[in-house]
Amino acid sequence: MISVEEARAYILKHFHPLEAERVDLLSALDRVLAEDIISDLDVPPFNNSAMDGYAVRAQDIASASREKPVTLRVIGNIAAGYVAQNRVEPGTAMRIMTGAPLPEGADAVVRFEETSEGVDAKGTREDAKRRESVEILKAMQRGDNTRAAGEDMRKGNLVLSRGTVLRAPAIGVLATVGKKQVAVHRRPRVAILATGDELVSADEPLAPGKIRNSNEYSNAAAVLKAGGIPIQLGIARDNIADLTAKIRAGLDADVDLFLTSAGVSVGDYDIVKDVLGAEGEMHFWQVKMKPGKPLAFGVLRGKKPVPILGLPGNPVSSIVSFEIFARPAILTMLGKNKFTRPSVTAQLLEDATNSADRRNFIRVIVEKKNGEYVARTTGEQGSGILTSISKANGLLVMPEDLTFIRAGSEVEIQMLDWPEFEA
Ligand code: AMP
Ligand code: MG
């Protein structure tokens, strides 16, 4: 038996970030930037107002207060998107809207609320625009309520570096610096092949002895979630001819990773081993983990070498093995280099046992109760109990040599999913 770390380290040596492609901004969401982005302008490009109010010269209103207002002559109105044609001269002010360029001469903005316009707010907007004078009720420092050119980004500076995962705000940064397309690492194409004479597809009627093929869908969904492109190859039967044909069909689909499920343990019909052995260089491991002990990994000989992970057949084993081995491989190809899920410290609400002498991935539901995280198992933990993992949002990882954790203990839970919760 080999450890989880040994298996993973061996597998991940075979994966590298895929080449870059140029995509439209929205297709770049959650993907990894493959170029440095340099700003082609100062952002904001000009000094502008941070408030709706009056653009003034701070020195003109240094003595202003509610008791002793300073009256200024209003010489204009500036909306966002327009540039004032005249200057703010001593004793004058211009009405200005948020985002409008600060007019020449002005060095501060007084919010409407701190002028007579805010206090005696009678009349219409048009009346306000026609106002000939305004009383300023508060002194300002130079720069108050203004935004300086370049305070966000500087022309010529690096604003996003290669390797950045592009979340929604970063997509906004790209738009700000005028990019409509951007270089990101290509998404891996991942072939998914279920194997087994007992399988029928989800839309077929069941016959005696048959079960529905869930692994194809749980694996394809997990590929999508991780950022890959699933290529569903359907079901290969437990015979050499069919399996060989389906493997070759997958290779023809130009995939970057091949995932199979089942047929890698020691049953009579576990011929996946034989076929993979013939189509590539394979390892058949027993990994010190539960669920997910049987695992195959190797490289298929296609037009190009294609790494293949033979996941176990049991639905939970397949999902957990995907999580531990396939997901980091996909993330690596996407250009990501961090794989660890966020974890929380939670109070375990029931005893947990591990008699397997393997690392036990116990499926749990983590909730916040009275301000504290608590975790309870999802019930029966058999590797065939698909609902044990579909209900879970986290895994309690029990080390190989730990046999018992008492209810009430603080445990670290690896979150699989972090859904929104009711506050
Ligand atoms: P095997 O590794 O072929 O011995 O399969 C282990 C268990 O997983 C058996 O109970 C299979 O019926 C089940 N199994 C295999 N493939 C799938 C699949 N695609 N969907 C659901 N269960 C499966
Ligand atoms: Mg089988």
Side-chain angles (χ1 to χ4, degrees), residues 91-412:
T92 71
M94 278 190 214
R95 275 181 101 245
I96 190 166
M97 304 302 128
T98 305
L102 205 62
E104 295 279 319
D107 56 18
V109 171
V110 188
R111 300 186 302 142
F112 284 142
E113 292 86 330
E114 281 148 0
T115 70
S116 52
E117 179 170 336
V119 174
D120 59 24
K122 298 192 271 302
T124 64
R125 193 168 287 230
E126 289 311 310
D127 292 339
K129 278 199 200 167
R130 280 192 299 270
R131 202 177 249 281
E132 284 176 356
S133 68
V134 66
E135 290 178 4
I136 305 295
L137 309 179
K138 194 176 173 193
M140 294 287 135
Q141 303 290 322
R142 290 182 65 171
D144 279 357
N145 299 324
T146 71
R147 302 187 284 215
E151 72 176 18
D152 190 354
M153 304 174 211
R154 283 267 177 218
K155 180 172 179 168
N157 279 9
L158 181 70
V159 287
L160 289 170
S161 50
R162 177 191 294 266
T164 302
V165 179
L166 298 170
R167 310 287 181 214
I171 301 292
V173 170
L174 291 166
T176 296
V177 299
K179 303 276 178 193
K180 278 204 73 181
Q181 290 203 317
V182 68
V184 292
H185 291 284
R186 182 168 73 71
R187 295 170 66 195
R189 294 167 59 81
V190 183
I192 292 159
L193 181 61
T195 72
D197 281 352
E198 73 276 38
L199 302 177
V200 301
S201 65
D203 54 357
E204 270 180 297
L206 277 181
K210 308 294 182 187
I211 60 166
R212 293 214 174 90
N213 168 14
S214 65
N215 290 350
E216 173 181 344
Y217 282 91
S218 51
N219 287 332
V223 166
L224 261 185
K225 186 88 179 171
I229 302 169
I231 311 289
Q232 289 166 262
L233 301 172
I235 301 164
R237 297 307 169 191
D238 288 326
N239 64 73
I240 291 174
D242 194 35
L243 194 52
T244 306
K246 298 252 161 61
I247 298 264
R248 293 189 181 162
L251 290 174
D252 284 343
D254 203 15
V255 296
D256 304 292
L257 168 63
F258 216 116
L259 296 179
T260 62
S261 71
V264 290
S265 44
V266 291
D268 286 349
Y269 299 94
D270 289 343
I271 53 127
V272 173
K273 282 174 138 173
D274 302 335
V275 173
L276 295 185
E279 297 293 310
E281 296 297 323
M282 296 300 302
H283 298 277
F284 297 95
W285 289 321
Q286 303 280 302
V287 185
K288 273 194 153 188
M289 62 189 280
K290 180 186 166 188
K293 183 166 74 166
L295 186 76
F297 177 74
V299 180
L300 294 172
R301 288 183 292 267
K303 276 170 287 174
K304 62 177 184 186
V306 176
I308 180 164
L309 251 174
L311 302 171
N314 280 307
V316 183
S317 311
S318 171
I319 293 168
V320 172
S321 302
F322 182 99
E323 170 72 19
I324 306 297
F325 304 110
R327 186 173 169 275
I330 291 170
L331 296 184
T332 300
M333 288 189 279
L334 284 164
K336 301 186 180 183
N337 54 17
K338 301 186 190 109
F339 316 124
T340 310
R341 299 270 199 184
S343 61
V344 291
T345 305
Q347 191 193 23
L348 190 63
L349 295 182
E350 54 199 89
D351 292 346
T353 54
N354 179 16
S355 51
D357 202 26
R358 288 182 268 153
R359 190 171 308 172
N360 195 352
F361 295 89
I362 298 173
R363 284 76 78 189
V364 299
I365 299 168
V366 176
E367 288 172 306
K368 206 163 186 179
K369 288 256 167 79
N370 306 320
E372 257 195 80
Y373 288 112
V374 293
R376 61 197 157 83
T377 73
T378 54
E380 174 54 51
Q381 294 282 307
S383 60
I385 310 289
L386 183 52
T387 49
S388 74
I389 190 147
S390 82
K391 288 178 200 156
N393 61 352
L395 293 173
L396 165 58
V397 185
M398 241 178 124
E400 294 76 343
D401 54 2
L402 184 64
T403 53
F404 183 74
I405 305 176
R406 191 177 304 286
S409 307
E410 299 264 284
V411 290
E412 190 86 349

